[in-house]
Amino acid sequence: MRLSPHPDGAVRRFPSARRRVTAAVALCVAGLVLSGPATAAPERAAAAPAAGLPYQDPSLPVPDRVNDLLSRMTLDDKLGQMTQIEKDALVPQADLATYRIGSVLSGGDSTVSPNNAQTWADTYDSLQRTALAAPLGIPVIYGIDAVHGHNAVRGATLYPHNIGLGATRDPALVQRVGRAVAEEISGTGIDWDFAPCLCVARDDRWGRTYESYGESPELPSAMTTFVTGLQGDTLGADPASVLATAKHYLGDGGTTAGVDQGDTVLSEAELRAIHLPPFKEAVRRGVGSVMLSYSRWNGVRSHAHKYLVTDVLKGELGFTGFVVSDWAAVDQLDGQSGFTGAEISTAVNAGVDMVMVPHDYKKFLTLLRGEVTAGRVPQARVDDANRRILTKKFQLGLFERPLTDRSFTGTVGSAAHRSLARQAVRESQVLLKNDGGVLPLAKSARLFVAGKSADDIGNQSGGWTVGWQGRSGPVTDGTTVLQGIRAAVTDPSRVTYDRYGNGIDSTYTAAVAVVGETPYAEGRGDRPNGLGLDQEDLGTLARLKASGVPVVVVLVSGRPLDITAQLPDWKALLAAWLPGTEGAGVSDVLFGDHAPTGKLPMSWMRGASQQPVNDGDGKSPLFPYGYGLTYDNAPEPTPTPTPTPTPSPGACTAAFRTVSSWQGGYQAEVTVENTGSGALAGWSVDWDLAGATVTSLWNGTLTTAQGRATVRNAAFNGALSPGAKATFGFTATGTAGTPSPHCAGT
């Protein structure tokens, strides 16, 4: 999301455990009616009784509650639910109730004072009490970009950015991270996380590359376990359940030359094969919201693309949550500053359910009301948007537990979460070079540590860290790489540190240079003119080389960098990505407490001129996708997200469905079902191609021989309990026909 500084129908028989403060508080407040300017305030609904209405009954099925509430809402109540505004834009705060605002967010630079979990929780509760003062007492849903931990809150646990989590190839770990993040978010009252980013980054010049789990669709698809971590198996059933967001739909990682908010120029078959699979998997997992991309597909902005949003996402994929715009993105549709009615109707009719305004909410609501009353936005579209939004609010339990569950407030920055983050850091480290077995380092060694990121929590955390673009320095609490090294060695006095490499001599066992990028986020992070190290890093590395001491480079960066020319000077290279607050996870690997297991989530370029470079494109990278050494110095085979079992016959069926077709090609989906009485650890499906050629495949691994295709499960969809299903999809040339696939399980 760009920020300037600026299962549906589930029956809920019991109130959610999400929040401790009871509905009685909310219902008492809901009887109040705030007055506002006669010319600006929306029409008033009759004040509801304090209790007894069907929508207030948590024992009723959610669809019944939604229908009852919709029947009581005025047009202005409904339009307010479709509006999301920045917290700091509320002037006065009473406007939250006066204008029936449905959602509040904190942008990347929006904070509280003092910035701690307690103040965030107090702020949330104050806003929620204000919202509940509207006649129908509909709670707001509060969103925030907690993209590598609850990163707006000083003292929160920050995990590796997605590129590092992708390097772990560990979906189960990522789900645990999602759960921990949900607990910290819940402890500040917030209900909705604008994560995970499921972009498939195809060009490292793009400033959001670190927000991607990897360059192939299989890897982000596998890491949609983060959605389950945030939401739980069923939204609202878990005490810390937080609404997840799959973003940015669709194709933002594939723009030409990696230009942020640029144009993704691809055929529909390519778009479906590369960029759609992670979103399909997120929908399968029940993701509650989807955020659209600023980018365009073949010239048409995502926020105006009815085919992609309504037909594909909501129709074909069966997404039942709600679609939210990105920050002020609807205002970008005509290329001019300032909302117009035409922009709003275009976006809403395309399928946007909630508009992140984020500031001029009065003008936005006036224009939206005008578009509806003029018939340019159908009432049915407004009702559909509201039904989607309200369903998620009911499922989250916001009507029963509208205020912060303070039992989670103490989890913010907790020791348990920091331990998990440290594990994620060490699993994310990718060893790219280790000449002579210089690593692991001996804990008794005399070491010289240098580099601008060795002792800088801001640099190692990157963008979206207590601020949108992030910044260098002690921006939050944590352990730097240098601190981790000093804590790991037997005698800290044998570790010398100088940022610039001054004072090193030949008496040291090794020099550890922690270099790379300084923090950035979208826009500012685009690097069209080169991806090399900066002059400070080059100077520091030259001083270390001149000493004759073996140089170990720890590269802190949000993407692969152009280091081919310098690589011969280094004995070892460890890609640390952007590890977050737990730098000791890096030292765990440097000293061999844990051997490196990370695998490249991106192909590593030979030089910036080679961009874009991706697995299977015929180019020869410096290090291929999936590459990574361990301490026996032997590269392991390029993996799928994690190794898949070799299946043996088992009880399963496979159903083939043609999703779409075009001249000379088609897209198909195969659904695998465990029809036996025991669990399957894995499965395979094979069928006759009948002259067709598979051009791309997702959610599985393909092999072909003698005109027959065989697909084996991916790491995240092989285990099937009795009756459970998994799907994979592919595009192919030729004619689909009606194949009869054979399924075998293990």
Side-chain angles (χ1 to χ4, degrees):
M1 180 173 112
R2 184 179 183 90
L3 302 174
S4 63
H6 59 30
D8 191 29
V11 177
R12 294 190 58 81
R13 296 299 181 188
F14 303 98
S16 167
R18 168 70 176 88
R19 300 186 180 279
R20 299 188 320 185
V21 182
T22 64
V25 173
L27 293 172
C28 289
V29 180
L32 302 175
V33 179
L34 294 182
S35 61
T39 58
E43 58 184 287
R44 298 288 188 263
L53 297 177
Y55 78 87
Q56 298 163 338
D57 183 353
S59 71
L60 292 178
V62 166
D64 292 354
R65 299 179 74 184
V66 171
N67 288 335
D68 179 70
L69 179 53
L70 274 173
S71 72
R72 302 173 190 279
M73 294 170 71
T74 67
L75 176 59
D76 287 317
D77 288 324
K78 295 175 181 179
L79 301 186
Q81 288 302 302
M82 298 171 68
T83 305
Q84 183 181 58
I85 63 175
E86 158 63 44
K87 167 182 66 70
D88 295 339
L90 271 173
V91 181
Q93 183 171 308
D95 276 0
L96 203 59
T98 302
Y99 292 90
R100 318 290 199 267
I101 301 300
S103 182
V104 175
L105 83 152
S106 281
D109 290 320
S110 175
T111 188
V112 297
S113 182
N115 185 353
N116 57 45
Q118 183 70 41
T119 311
W120 278 96
D122 292 345
T123 301
Y124 173 92
D125 286 354
S126 175
L127 290 167
Q128 191 66 277
R129 288 188 179 98
T130 300
L132 294 170
L136 294 174
I138 303 174
V140 295
I141 184 168
Y142 197 121
I144 199 164
D145 285 90
V147 299
H148 66 131
H150 201 3
N151 43 257
V153 183
R154 185 177 179 103
T157 308
L158 301 188
Y159 299 82
H161 272 289
N162 287 355
I163 192 172
L165 293 179
T168 71
R169 296 297 205 279
D170 191 342
L173 172 67
V174 169
Q175 182 166 327
R176 290 172 61 204
V177 169
R179 164 67 192 197
V181 174
E183 289 180 358
E184 297 204 15
I185 293 172
S186 296
T188 61
I190 295 173
D191 327 285
W192 181 12
D193 187 6
F194 301 138
C197 184
L198 298 179
C199 54
V200 182
R202 306 288 287 179
D203 193 315
D204 299 337
R205 292 171 290 188
W206 186 40
R208 305 191 79 150
T209 297
Y210 66 76
E211 296 186 55
S212 173
Y213 292 109
E215 69 181 34
S216 70
E218 292 82 10
L219 197 44
S221 295
M223 299 310 178
T224 56
T225 50
F226 191 83
V227 171
T228 305
L230 285 176
Q231 296 188 165
D233 291 329
T234 301
L235 183 65
D238 189 283
S241 186
V242 168
L243 194 76
T245 307
K247 69 181 187 183
H248 304 86
Y249 186 85
L250 183 66
D252 58 336
T255 59
T256 300
V259 174
D260 189 51
Q261 302 188 31
D263 196 5
T264 299
V265 182
L266 292 175
S267 67
E268 182 171 343
E270 291 170 317
L271 186 76
R272 286 175 172 270
I274 298 170
H275 298 283
L276 189 61
F279 289 92
K280 185 173 184 178
E281 181 61 20
V283 171
R284 189 190 72 81
R285 287 184 175 274
V287 68
S289 67
V290 168
M291 183 183 291
L292 300 185
S293 174
Y294 285 114
S295 62
R296 303 178 294 278
W297 175 42
N298 294 336
V300 180
R301 290 187 181 273
S302 295
H303 286 76
H305 216 302
K306 186 175 182 179
Y307 173 70
L308 287 182
V309 179
T310 296
D311 298 347
V312 176
L313 177 63
K314 294 182 175 180
E316 181 183 320
L317 300 190
F319 174 62
T320 57
F322 64 90
V323 172
V324 63
S325 79
D326 209 332
W327 177 280
V330 171
D331 186 22
Q332 291 188 1
L333 292 182
D334 63 3
Q336 304 294 320
S337 179
F339 275 114
T340 66
E343 288 177 310
I344 294 169
S345 61
T346 296
V348 173
N349 289 332
V352 175
D353 301 306
M354 182 183 289
V355 176
M356 193 182 296
V357 176
H359 290 110
D360 196 354
Y361 53 92
K362 295 178 184 179
K363 180 179 180 180
F364 169 77
L365 282 165
T366 297
L367 290 171
L368 176 57
R369 196 179 208 284
E371 295 301 296
V372 175
T373 56
R376 290 185 288 271
V377 173
Q379 183 67 49
R381 175 77 270 273
V382 172
D383 287 347
D384 174 61
N386 272 260
R387 182 170 282 105
R388 290 170 177 271
I389 295 165
L390 293 172
T391 294
K392 296 308 168 189
K393 290 186 175 184
F394 279 118
Q395 289 176 343
L396 277 169
L398 291 177
F399 284 79
E400 288 71 56
R401 303 288 191 271
L403 303 179
T404 303
D405 184 340
R406 304 287 174 137
S407 69
F408 287 109
T409 306
T411 71
V412 177
S414 68
H417 290 172
R418 292 189 182 276
S419 177
L420 176 63
R422 182 171 177 171
Q423 177 186 350
V425 172
R426 61 179 178 249
E427 286 194 31
S428 71
Q429 304 299 290
V430 181
L431 182 61
L432 297 173
K433 181 179 181 179
N434 193 21
D435 281 1
V438 64
L439 292 179
L441 298 168
K443 293 185 178 181
S444 60
R446 187 165 186 251
L447 301 175
F448 193 100
V449 181
K452 66 175 181 284
S453 296
D455 197 30
D456 194 306
I457 207 82
N459 285 355
Q460 73 185 45
S461 297
W464 291 104
T465 300
V466 197
W468 173 35
Q469 293 286 334
R471 59 185 175 87
S472 301
V475 296
T476 191
D477 305 328
T479 301
T480 67
V481 175
L482 175 64
Q483 289 170 331
I485 291 172
R486 285 179 167 156
V489 299
T490 54
D491 182 358
S493 69
R494 292 175 61 80
V495 176
T496 301
Y497 167 68
D498 182 85
R499 170 171 172 160
Y500 304 102
N502 294 316
I504 189 172
D505 58 40
S506 61
T507 63
Y508 289 92
T509 308
V512 180
V514 189
V515 297
E517 296 186 300
T518 51
Y520 57 83
E522 58 204 279
R524 191 182 301 173
D526 284 6
R527 292 184 65 176
N529 300 315
L531 289 159
L533 297 170
D534 64 24
Q535 288 303 308
E536 179 183 332
D537 286 346
L538 293 173
T540 300
L541 289 165
R543 294 181 194 98
L544 300 181
K545 176 188 175 184
S547 72
V549 171
V551 177
V552 174
V553 171
V554 175
L555 196 62
V556 172
S557 68
R559 52 194 154 195
L561 297 182
D562 185 353
I563 46 85
T564 302
Q566 293 79 41
L567 186 59
D569 298 335
W570 308 339
K571 283 294 185 179
L573 172 59
L574 189 68
W577 312 112
L578 297 170
T581 54
E582 307 313 304
V586 178
S587 61
D588 286 341
V589 172
L590 287 174
F591 293 98
D593 292 321
H594 296 270
T597 57
K599 307 298 178 187
L600 284 181
M602 311 281 182
S603 301
W604 200 290
M605 77 198 96
R606 289 191 177 274
S609 61
Q610 195 181 36
Q611 288 292 336
V613 53
N614 294 288
D615 187 43
D617 62 7
K619 298 179 181 179
S620 178
L622 183 64
F623 301 108
Y625 173 82
Y627 183 86
L629 303 172
T630 189
Y631 284 148
D632 61 6
N633 288 338
E636 296 182 7
T638 301
T640 53
T642 54
T644 56
T646 301
S648 59
C652 62
T653 60
F656 179 95
R657 180 174 72 93
T658 302
V659 175
S660 60
S661 60
W662 51 88
Q663 185 68 32
Y666 64 95
Q667 179 184 347
E669 178 182 89
V670 178
T671 300
V672 178
E673 182 178 2
N674 181 356
T675 55
S677 59
L680 295 179
W683 48 262
S684 68
V685 176
D686 61 279
W687 71 97
D688 286 323
L689 287 168
T693 300
V694 176
T695 54
S696 62
L697 181 136
W698 49 95
N699 296 347
T701 303
L702 171 72
T703 58
T704 57
Q706 299 178 332
R708 196 163 181 85
T710 300
V711 173
R712 291 180 171 84
N713 60 277
F716 60 89
N717 63 1
L720 296 179
S721 58
K725 298 178 181 180
T727 62
F728 66 87
F730 64 91
T731 57
T733 60
T735 304
T738 55
S740 300
H742 170 260
C743 182
T746 181

